[in-house]
Amino acid sequence: MSRPMPRPARSGNLVIGGYTPDTDGSGPGLTVAGMDADGRLAELARTAASGPSFVIAHPRLPLLYAVLERDAGGVAVFESEPDGPRPVIELPSGGSYPCHLAIDPEAAWLVVANYGDGTVGAFRLAPDGLPEPEPLLFRHEGSGPDPERQEGSHAHQAVFGPDGVLHVTDLGADLVRRFLPGMRPHPDGPVRLTAGSGPRHLVHHQDHWYVTGELDGCVTVYDAGWREAGRVPASGGGKHNYPSHIAVSPDGRHIYVGNRGPDTVTAFEVDGPRLTLVAETDAGGSWPRHFAVDGDRLYVANQRSDNVAVLTLKDGIPQPTGETLHVGTPSCVLPL
């Protein structure tokens, strides 16, 4: 790429990432999907990649960034083109088994959470959107009471808050690690959460943080000072639950949570620290790893049933449609 190009208008398509045969999956790499003539989701293109389990887009340029979730972790950059993403560059992620990416509000940093060893890597982004080759690396240690899942640090998600502060969940150490703008470690250190909760994903809304606990099956609410303000089970189904992704509805009235085990998507009515479960909808497949809201649709990546399910939103509540798209071991859905 010789110069930055403007990001094209929204296409209404999806980019689906997932696991490939070399990363214990069956997917092709990146799959582009869109609506066919009958208004149903259909595959449009494929691009080979090694375990692109999470994908994000540059906020202004036609670029996609994907983790390559393997022992020798990688980050790949793709240029969006009509016939599918075109590989541009691939770099080491600075750790093992990277699983999440984030770009700061100024598009100056690309941050990668390496689940395998807890390392957080931060790449400076050039004006053309390409990462500089040598990232800042923050290596972490820690553990929790679950000897199988919390034997060490496991960075799981990176999210920039409204103040530009980076928050990284550490499932292995029950922490949220924080970095000030410019990737400076927060002087107050990490936030310590409930022991054994296994924080996975989090979202900020109405001056509160909402965190899914993969190990305790709950959504915990924290105020602006990271004091616990509430806690509710992520599912009311009674089955053992490993909550996955969490997101806010477009109108801000609901918070959605994916539930692996019950295989549902929960809708909570949100009022500050108070969450009220108003609906729990079948995810349209098995092991809903990730989901994305796009207009009046909610797309669910069901990892173990090899499909992306289409749900509709009626008054903010997900409704099943029975429509699915076959994709091998999907783990991420990105509307474009």
Side-chain angles (χ1 to χ4, degrees):
M1 294 175 61
S2 59
R3 70 180 192 275
M5 301 293 291
R7 183 168 182 79
R10 282 182 51 82
S11 65
N13 292 340
L14 304 175
V15 174
I16 303 161
Y19 296 98
T20 47
D22 61 319
T23 57
D24 298 325
S26 60
L30 297 180
T31 300
V32 179
M35 296 302 160
D36 63 15
D38 297 323
R40 296 182 64 85
L41 196 62
E43 181 179 314
L44 302 178
R46 293 182 175 186
T47 298
S50 174
S53 64
F54 195 78
V55 189
I56 61 172
H58 191 284
R60 294 184 292 275
L61 302 175
L63 295 177
L64 302 174
Y65 306 86
V67 298
L68 306 176
E69 191 173 338
R70 58 199 185 199
D71 187 13
V75 175
V77 183
F78 302 84
E79 188 168 9
S80 292
E81 295 189 347
D83 57 350
R86 181 183 66 83
V88 176
I89 192 172
E90 181 179 319
L91 297 168
S93 68
S96 66
Y97 295 103
C99 65
H100 199 269
L101 291 164
I103 294 179
D104 74 316
E106 304 301 321
W109 294 94
L110 174 71
V111 178
V112 56
N114 290 283
Y115 180 85
D117 59 8
T119 299
V120 175
F123 294 85
R124 291 184 183 273
L125 291 179
D128 64 0
L130 295 185
E132 296 184 1
E134 296 295 332
L136 297 179
L137 297 179
F138 301 89
R139 305 190 186 281
H140 297 120
E141 297 180 351
S143 61
D146 187 321
E148 294 184 359
R149 298 296 310 280
Q150 296 185 305
E151 81 297 340
S153 176
H154 294 303
H156 214 307
Q157 189 192 33
V159 172
F160 284 94
D163 52 3
V165 174
L166 175 68
H167 297 72
V168 181
T169 53
D170 189 330
L171 184 147
D174 295 314
L175 298 174
V176 174
R177 302 185 187 276
R178 298 175 293 174
F179 299 83
L180 298 178
M183 291 304 301
R184 295 170 291 149
H186 198 288
D188 294 336
V191 177
R192 193 165 299 279
L193 306 186
T194 301
S197 59
R200 180 184 175 93
H201 280 199
L202 75 170
V203 67
H204 185 269
H205 182 53
Q206 295 181 348
D207 295 324
H208 289 82
W209 287 96
Y210 302 84
V211 184
T212 57
E214 180 168 335
L215 303 183
D216 69 2
C218 291
V219 179
T220 304
V221 186
Y222 297 89
D223 66 15
W226 280 98
R227 294 174 290 268
E228 185 173 326
R231 181 191 298 259
V232 296
S235 168
K239 293 184 179 179
H240 194 79
N241 183 25
Y242 301 89
S244 56
H245 189 50
I246 184 168
V248 181
S249 66
D251 62 8
R253 294 170 50 206
H254 298 96
I255 280 180
Y256 307 127
V257 180
N259 300 301
R260 296 170 300 171
D263 294 336
T264 59
V265 176
T266 305
F268 291 93
E269 188 174 76
V270 57
D271 180 15
R274 181 179 176 84
L275 293 179
T276 303
L277 194 156
V278 293
E280 187 164 357
T281 306
D282 189 285
S286 174
W287 215 247
R289 169 70 175 261
H290 185 256
F291 62 84
V293 178
D294 190 24
D296 63 353
R297 295 194 173 200
L298 189 149
Y299 299 99
V300 186
N302 290 301
Q303 182 178 343
R304 293 185 178 175
S305 55
D306 298 329
N307 69 31
V308 172
V310 182
L311 280 62
T312 60
L313 295 175
K314 183 176 181 180
D315 296 326
I317 305 301
Q319 308 285 329
T321 68
E323 180 184 349
T324 61
L325 173 69
H326 175 78
V327 181
T329 49
S331 57
C332 175
V333 184
L334 173 67
L336 290 180

